Amino acid sequence: CQEMLMWVCLSPLDMIGHEFGPQSREAIDMIYHLDCQIERFMNCVSEYLKRTDVLFVLTADHGISPIPELMNQEGYNGAIRVDYSKVIPEINQMIS
């Protein structure tokens, strides 16, 4: 019996979540399409291997908080969006 480990990285959802937030239309759309792709992948694997010979494990590296604008609407007034184009030069100047 041969064994195989396949690792698939699905990082686009992470990027979408950081940019638009987990409750955004972009993230929900990405999750929908990702779910469909994972289903197709699992069905395809099942055509070649018995289900009892396959173990699918899905993991994540972390969660993500809602976008600051939504947090403010819900009463979390300390939530802010960081403008990195302004912050990075300021930090570099302080370091100098």
Side-chain angles (χ1 to χ4, degrees):
C1 178
Q2 254 185 342
E3 295 177 1
M4 176 176 42
L5 171 66
M6 180 185 298
W7 189 298
V8 179
C9 180
L10 306 170
S11 59
L13 179 58
D14 186 60
M15 292 183 285
I16 294 288
H18 282 289
E19 183 70 25
F20 299 101
Q23 297 152 317
S24 66
R25 287 185 177 124
E26 292 84 356
I28 292 168
D29 184 62
M30 174 69 77
I31 290 168
Y32 171 80
H33 289 288
L34 183 58
D35 186 59
C36 293
Q37 291 172 348
I38 290 171
E39 179 184 28
R40 284 195 308 267
F41 172 75
M42 292 171 74
N43 288 336
C44 182
V45 169
S46 297
E47 290 178 12
Y48 296 95
L49 301 170
K50 294 186 292 187
R51 288 195 183 260
T52 56
D53 292 339
V54 179
L55 173 65
F56 294 101
V57 178
L58 304 175
T59 66
D61 61 345
H62 61 82
I64 187 168
S65 62
I67 59 174
E69 293 81 3
L70 289 177
M71 292 181 75
N72 286 323
Q73 288 176 8
E74 294 174 7
Y76 299 98
N77 297 327
I80 61 168
R81 182 173 296 275
V82 176
D83 184 351
Y84 295 106
S85 66
K86 293 179 182 175
V87 172
I88 291 173
E90 290 173 10
I91 291 173
N92 286 335
Q93 186 170 353
M94 284 189 272
I95 292 171
S96 297

